[in-house]
Amino acid sequence: MSIIYLTSTGGAPGVSTLATALTMNWPRPALLLEADVSKTSHILGGYLRGQYEHTMGLTEVAVANQHGLLDVEKLFSQTIDLGPSRYAIPGFNDLGGARGTSVAFWANLLNSINRLPGAALAPDLDVFVDAGRFWVGDTRTPLMAQADSVIVVTGNTLPDIATVQASSPAFAEALETTGHRDFIGLAITTTPLKGQSYSAHEISNATGLPLLGVLPWDPASAAHYSHGATAPSRRSPYHRALDDLIRHLDEALAERRYVPTGQE
């Protein structure tokens, strides 16, 4: 199992859309965890187009944690099916409760996630965390710090670059505690604004973060994952770029994945 943590530092660069796209196209079983505390579930009203009532998700997980009942079974009981070997745990349905979550809650949640591979009820899956926006002092830091990959989703304009630069020291400090400082990278979403954008190479150099992938401006294709629109062609620019990102990310994770002695 690998944990892939997606976040941004400002604006609306498409964290939820990318997290959903990665979950649905990942080469192994995958679970999407909606951990954004600034909004309610994106996938329920977006990709799933209101097919499910918001009765399951992190609010129930948080209640169980308050009563000392949070374990791997309780966590997995809050999943909904997205398709074969695809699952999601919707976010909070109460924004007050979401904003009130503590570091201890996210640490307990991480402990349950780490027990998923040994649970008979869950397949061997990778976990994509849609964390929305990051801020200094973010209580979700325990989850981010233990991730096998942290993807900072950003645009390619000067304001985007400036917000990533401002947050880079906080990212480094959080990941340094677990030795995961090199596990962070950029996923850049391009803009149609002419004369206002910078190249991926320039952005990587300016922020000091390695590049994982670049997603083209392709609203029609991205709308499948953000709003449940018709599935795009596998040959669309968006899907070709997504496939490249998945391949790059999977190769990086393979180098970090723990394999017990004698099972190489």
Side-chain angles (χ1 to χ4, degrees), residues 41-54 80 227-228:
S41 175
H42 177 85
I43 198 167
L44 290 180
Y47 181 75
L48 293 175
R49 303 185 68 179
Q51 296 177 45
Y52 294 85
E53 291 186 22
H54 199 166
I80 57 176
H227 292 83

Side-chain angles (χ1 to χ4, degrees), residues 14 38 56 88 103 111 119 183 201 209 218 222 229 234:
S38 68
M56 301 192 329
V103 171
N111 184 54
F183 288 11
H201 179 72
L209 299 178
D218 187 1
R234 297 297 307 184

Side-chain angles (χ1 to χ4, degrees), residues 148 175 179-185 210 256:
D148 301 283
L175 299 177
H180 289 188
R181 186 167 183 171
D182 296 332
F183 288 11
I184 190 171
R256 301 165 189 167

Side-chain angles (χ1 to χ4, degrees), residues 6 37 58 63 73 108 115 129 136 139 171 188 200 206 209 232 258:
L6 292 92
V37 296
L58 284 189
V63 170
E73 287 78 14
N108 290 342
R115 294 176 183 273
V129 180
V136 177
T139 57
F171 281 127
I188 299 172
L209 299 178
Y258 170 72

Side-chain angles (χ1 to χ4, degrees), residues 9 15-16 116 146 153 171 179 182 236 249:
T9 57
V15 175
S16 296
L116 281 172
Q146 289 291 343
V153 186
F171 281 127
D182 296 332
S236 70
L249 178 59

Side-chain angles (χ1 to χ4, degrees), residues 15-233:
V15 175
S16 296
T17 300
L18 180 56
T20 303
L22 289 172
T23 300
M24 299 309 298
N25 291 278
W26 195 242
R28 291 181 296 282
L31 167 68
L32 172 63
L33 174 67
E34 290 195 304
D36 192 339
V37 296
S38 68
K39 63 183 181 184
T40 56
S41 175
H42 177 85
I43 198 167
L44 290 180
Y47 181 75
L48 293 175
R49 303 185 68 179
Q51 296 177 45
Y52 294 85
E53 291 186 22
H54 199 166
T55 57
M56 301 192 329
L58 284 189
T59 296
E60 293 299 313
V61 173
V63 170
N65 181 67
Q66 289 178 340
H67 292 87
L69 300 175
L70 176 55
D71 55 22
V72 64
E73 287 78 14
K74 180 61 179 181
L75 178 66
F76 200 74
S77 74
Q78 297 304 304
T79 60
I80 57 176
D81 289 337
L82 300 179
S85 300
R86 311 288 146 173
Y87 308 88
I89 297 178
F92 291 91
N93 58 29
D94 173 10
L95 289 183
R99 284 294 191 179
T101 53
S102 65
V103 171
F105 166 71
W106 295 105
N108 290 342
L109 177 61
L110 172 64
N111 184 54
S112 293
I113 290 174
N114 285 333
R115 294 176 183 273
L116 281 172
L121 47 80
D124 183 14
L125 45 72
D126 293 324
V127 179
F128 290 92
V129 180
D130 172 8
R133 187 178 299 188
F134 169 82
W135 67 89
V136 177
D138 197 321
T139 57
R140 298 164 298 176
T141 297
L143 187 53
M144 182 181 72
Q146 289 291 343
D148 301 283
S149 178
V150 176
I151 303 176
V152 179
V153 186
T154 185
N156 62 343
T157 67
L158 189 57
D160 298 316
I161 298 169
T163 59
V164 175
Q165 283 180 318
S167 299
S168 290
F171 281 127
E173 181 180 357
L175 299 177
E176 190 71 51
T177 60
T178 54
H180 289 188
R181 186 167 183 171
D182 296 332
F183 288 11
I184 190 171
L186 289 172
I188 299 172
T189 57
T190 59
T191 175
L193 298 175
K194 295 183 179 180
Q196 301 297 319
S197 61
Y198 292 79
S199 71
H201 179 72
E202 289 173 318
I203 296 172
S204 180
N205 282 344
T207 61
L209 299 178
L211 179 68
L212 288 172
V214 179
L215 297 169
W217 182 256
D218 187 1
S221 296
H224 174 60
Y225 301 106
S226 62
H227 292 83
T230 302
S233 167

